[in-house]
Amino acid sequence: EAFMSAVEIFKNNKLLSLNYLKYLPNKEDIVDSFYKDIRKSILMKLSISNCILSASNDWCYPFTLCRAKKAFRDLFPSSVALELFGCDYINSRVSCADDILDELGVKSAGIEDALRIFSDHSEWLASQSLTWQAKFYAYIAYNLAEALDAGLLNLPCLPLSDGSFVVPNEEYVFFPLSK
């Protein structure tokens, strides 16, 4: 309870609001079971409180936020991530270890989320500029091994000249050699 009261004070301090989570010890750093229980209790209470600053500068529950690498965030800015994935990003200035964020319930966004664009948001994808689509496919190509493991070839991911998309494992697609 004392820690949760302190969090409310931290939220009003520019520096502490971004850094207080890094003072929570990792599991491996605690040897005494008494302190392990305290840590567990603090994390449980934090996980159900609006204690993390979002990219939109709102205080949010951890389970409503995600973290992603810069390339993903560049493709899907905060407002787009909210629309497509139903979560905002953690504010990039927040300092905290990934394992603590995992324990709090913060999701990790990456190639699997990007691939869901093909099946869940194909109309949105088709409405994006060719420049954006080129960046999107470059992101997939950069993460190709992971994308293939996540089922890329079973998704409608190849754009045709008529604007539709086909599943590579279901149809043959030919590219004109003259281009």
Side-chain angles (χ1 to χ4, degrees):
E1 295 302 321
F3 190 87
M4 294 310 294
S5 295
V7 168
E8 294 306 313
I9 295 168
F10 297 159
K11 287 164 68 172
N12 295 316
N13 179 295
K14 272 189 173 179
L15 184 59
L16 285 174
S17 65
L18 302 171
N19 294 314
Y20 80 90
L21 289 170
K22 74 178 183 180
Y23 295 107
L24 290 171
N26 291 324
K27 279 186 213 179
E28 304 81 38
D29 296 338
I30 301 174
V31 257
D32 190 305
S33 63
F34 173 77
Y35 292 109
K36 285 183 181 186
D37 290 342
I38 290 174
R39 179 188 181 278
K40 185 177 178 180
S41 176
I42 288 171
L43 288 172
M44 189 209 51
K45 289 182 186 311
L46 284 172
S47 71
I48 56 172
S49 69
N50 56 349
C51 64
I52 300 179
L53 194 62
S54 72
S56 305
N57 288 317
D58 296 319
W59 288 100
C60 298
Y61 295 96
F63 63 86
T64 65
L65 296 172
C66 64
R67 65 181 187 280
K69 294 183 178 176
K70 184 179 180 337
F72 188 91
R73 290 174 76 139
D74 288 347
L75 273 175
F76 305 103
S78 187
S79 60
V80 175
L82 275 166
E83 175 189 342
L84 298 178
F85 310 119
C87 64
D88 196 357
Y89 299 115
I90 294 175
N91 190 298
S92 60
R93 299 172 302 149
V94 170
S95 178
C96 183
D98 285 344
D99 58 334
I100 300 264
L101 293 173
D102 289 340
E103 289 182 80
L104 289 173
V106 174
K107 300 175 214 86
S108 185
I111 192 69
E112 289 183 11
D113 298 288
L115 294 181
R116 280 203 304 273
I117 297 297
F118 292 120
S119 56
D120 298 349
H121 303 288
S122 57
E123 288 179 20
W124 180 88
L125 173 61
S127 72
Q128 299 308 299
S129 70
L130 287 177
T131 302
W132 185 91
Q133 289 183 26
K135 290 177 185 174
F136 178 64
Y137 281 101
Y139 173 79
I140 292 170
Y142 184 77
N143 297 285
L144 189 57
E146 192 178 348
L148 291 171
D149 288 344
L152 174 66
L153 299 179
N154 296 311
L155 296 169
C157 62
L158 286 179
L160 299 181
S161 57
D162 67 359
S164 64
F165 291 85
V166 296
V167 178
N169 275 346
E170 293 177 4
E171 296 187 39
Y172 290 107
V173 177
F174 297 95
F175 294 95
L177 296 177
S178 64
K179 294 183 182 180

